[in-house]
Amino acid sequence: MCGFTGWVSYERDLARARNTVDAMTATMSCRGPDDAGVWIDESGGGHVALGHRRLAIIDIEGGAQPMRADTPDGPVVLVYAGETYNFTELRGELRHRGHAFTTSSDTEVVLRAYLEWGPALAERLNGMFAFAVWDGRERKLVMVRDRLGVKPLHYLPTADGVLFGSEPKAILANPLVEAAVDTDGLRDVVSFISTPGGNFWSGMAEVEPGTVVTVSQAGIRTDVYWSLPAAEHTDDLKTTVGNIRDLLEDIVARQLVSDVPLCSLLSGGLDSSALTALAAKVTPGRLSTFAMGFGEFIADDLRATSDTEFAREVAAHAGTEHHEIHLDTAGLADPALRERVLRAADTPMGGGDAFGSLLLLFEAVREHSTVALSGETADEVFGGYRWTHWSAERATETFPWLALVPPRDDVLTPEARKELDLPTYVRERYEQALAKVARLDGESGLERRMREGSHLHLTVLLPILLDRKDRMSMVGGLEVRVPYCDHRLVEYVHNVPWAMKTFDGREKSLLRAAVADILPKSVVERVKSHYPQTQEAGYSRALREQARRYLDDPAHRLFGLVDRDRLTAIANGDGPLEIGARLGLELALDLGLCLETYSPRLRIA
């Protein structure tokens, strides 16, 4: 895994801006601690600069970037982050077509594939990736992102070109860019939805999943190469379960390829346990597994059972070398951790310990492994959330997860709430998202509603979760792979009728049936437990204390967004925070820290 950045300016000689290019590249050092490289097209007038930081995973010695191929009509240069899991097959096909290779890296396969097929190579790749190609033959930049959006890629159009990078911080490092936040950026943060192509930072955009963005002197063009398809599912239940098992075995085998230590993240839930069991079967030697635990488990409505014992049982069953990472309340509530999370995410997500615990877990894992498998996305693919099943019982006219996690605008000032107008915004975004759903002819009623719900989860909720995983893992240089994001599995399960997806009356019925023979019975029968968060009263006390720091400064910029009286009421409370107050307080603290850290201009009336 890596990080990259770049600058295309058709009117500047960027050789004279080398210090700026170096500074932009340096912001990606956490994503790529192993190597660095910068390329400026000095022979072509210096109008393009590419910077790369490398986390070496495959072909440690031979995969340096930016990677260049010279042609009679100009250089073609690639900066790439991610993994292409079918690179071996593609390399064989490209060799048959006359291409010669000097490394064994997947990076060179992607570069040669671009030379052979141009931007259409994206349709041939199986993996998680984001990359940019400077095509000197046509003096254009081509940016590509994987189908589900596992790997990030941001860009900011300029008067004479574009700035781009794996994270916004690379773009913000350029002195041409003013750090500013507008209404739309704040709306997504407050509302728990994501706008495809949107960005918290004003003026920036994100290359959408399954999309190619081309920049030339004629302007910027966007082309979609993949979207969730609608296809009639004709397989019976037995065949469907068998196909899912076959897909999972192939996916896991592909994603175990690595020249550095690899492990599996194991919560003891169905999703991660399935991957662990499948990986353990084909891993030479003993697979390492890692589980996370908090000090005292307190059951709640979303988490009826602790992960710890289930993870231990799976580890023993699969014969893994198991490690437990224990986090305490003091560490999770530490303001320094909140600042690290913010700087990693470049966005005040207000996720609190749901973000901080991941960062600490990934850092601990990185001491032993460079690559980890994660069960992320199984809930979106197989229908694991309880609100998904609520939607099956009754129609809703909004995003299903908002029934449990409502927007957090009640902590904002009346003026900010009026300007954001979240009810209208959420309704419009919901309608826009539904308009993109591909449906079968004649599909109606429950099946139509559940297809729409699957699409919303995979295209609106999932990007938030994948972004969290990417930022919290890459800040410590850990590559986290997500087998459930393989587009073949996503397409297949997305089109299975809801009645078959829930054939046993439970969540994730198909996944459970596909892996039941390789898991302990207790894990197969376990009811879904959501990602753990600390419920200890000490965490609530620490948050309230942090809020008082802002309340002691009435002139703080935070109170241009956050209602002082509402924050005072939350801070003066006692006992564990209820979910609405906790979410609002976490958001307020992140907003305050963002204002202090980035000093952004607020373009909010």
Side-chain angles (χ1 to χ4, degrees), residues 94-326:
L94 289 164
R95 277 178 173 154
H96 183 71
R97 291 171 175 265
H99 291 266
F101 290 84
T102 61
T103 76
S104 58
S105 70
D106 61 338
T107 304
E108 188 177 12
V109 171
V110 172
L111 177 59
R112 290 286 162 185
Y114 179 84
L115 291 171
E116 180 67 30
W117 296 299
L121 91 158
E123 301 172 23
R124 296 173 177 264
L125 303 182
N126 176 313
M128 57 176 192
F129 51 82
F131 59 86
V133 178
W134 172 253
D135 191 335
R137 300 169 300 182
E138 301 181 40
R139 295 179 55 76
K140 68 180 182 182
L141 179 77
V142 177
M143 296 183 285
V144 182
R145 195 170 178 209
D146 65 67
R147 294 169 180 82
L148 274 295
V150 181
K151 291 289 100 184
L153 180 49
H154 304 261
Y155 66 99
L156 187 149
T158 64
D160 69 333
V162 71
L163 297 163
F164 61 94
S166 297
E167 299 179 13
K169 59 175 59 71
I171 299 170
L172 292 170
N174 191 301
L176 293 179
V177 180
E178 176 190 38
V181 178
D182 59 23
T183 305
D184 281 346
L186 191 58
R187 281 169 171 156
D188 274 3
V189 166
V190 176
S191 64
F192 283 120
I193 59 177
S194 64
T195 299
N199 204 291
F200 175 72
W201 297 101
S202 181
M204 285 193 206
E206 192 170 23
V207 177
E208 294 186 37
T211 298
V212 177
V213 174
T214 305
V215 181
S216 67
Q217 287 181 286
I220 297 178
R221 187 183 78 247
T222 297
D223 298 291
V224 176
Y225 72 87
W226 183 86
S227 59
L228 273 172
E232 185 178 0
H233 186 80
T234 58
D235 295 335
D236 61 18
L237 176 59
K238 182 179 180 180
T239 303
T240 298
V241 171
N243 286 340
I244 289 172
R245 175 62 171 266
D246 290 344
L247 279 169
L248 287 172
E249 289 181 345
D250 178 71
I251 291 164
V252 170
R254 288 177 181 275
Q255 297 198 21
L256 289 175
V257 175
S258 173
D259 292 336
V260 295
L262 179 148
C263 68
S264 183
L265 304 176
L266 177 59
S267 70
L270 179 64
D271 315 338
S272 63
S273 298
L275 297 182
T276 295
L278 290 167
K281 290 175 58 180
V282 295
T283 298
R286 293 181 70 191
L287 175 70
S288 292
T289 51
F290 290 84
M292 177 181 67
F294 294 99
E296 177 187 0
F297 175 75
I298 302 174
D300 60 22
D301 189 45
L302 296 177
R303 306 162 190 89
T305 54
S306 171
D307 289 341
T308 303
E309 293 304 322
F310 290 97
R312 290 173 181 171
E313 188 175 1
V314 173
H317 186 81
T320 72
E321 183 179 332
H322 192 54
H323 308 262
E324 294 181 355
I325 310 299
H326 295 281

Side-chain angles (χ1 to χ4, degrees), residues 545 547-555 559 564:
E545 185 61 33
R548 293 187 185 101
R549 180 174 75 84
Y550 294 106
L551 292 169
D552 289 342
D553 181 7
F559 297 113
R564 181 180 174 82

Side-chain angles (χ1 to χ4, degrees), residues 316-443:
H317 186 81
T320 72
E321 183 179 332
H322 192 54
H323 308 262
E324 294 181 355
I325 310 299
H326 295 281
L327 308 179
D328 58 37
T329 298
L332 292 168
D334 188 346
L337 177 61
R338 184 178 299 276
E339 181 176 356
R340 294 183 62 209
V341 167
L342 174 68
R343 290 185 179 276
D346 290 322
T347 304
M349 294 302 298
D353 64 331
F355 279 65
S357 61
L358 269 184
L359 188 153
L360 295 176
L361 169 65
F362 291 150
E363 281 190 336
V365 171
R366 184 62 173 86
E367 295 179 5
H368 305 269
S369 294
T370 310
V371 180
L373 299 183
S374 167
E376 191 89 79
T377 310
D379 287 311
E380 290 76 17
V381 173
F382 288 99
Y385 295 118
R386 63 178 60 188
W387 54 72
T388 303
H389 296 261
W390 293 343
S391 298
E393 297 168 2
R394 59 185 183 277
T396 59
E397 298 301 324
T398 190
F399 298 101
W401 54 92
L402 296 186
L404 191 65
V405 188
R408 300 170 287 181
D409 58 337
D410 64 337
V411 77
L412 303 180
T413 65
E415 295 79 11
R417 290 201 302 271
K418 180 179 179 181
E419 182 65 25
L420 296 184
D421 188 12
L422 285 188
T424 300
Y425 179 70
V426 171
R427 184 179 67 252
E428 290 177 349
R429 281 289 297 112
Y430 178 69
E431 293 170 353
Q432 292 164 4
L434 283 184
K436 296 181 179 181
V437 179
R439 303 175 179 87
L440 295 176
D441 291 340
E443 193 173 47

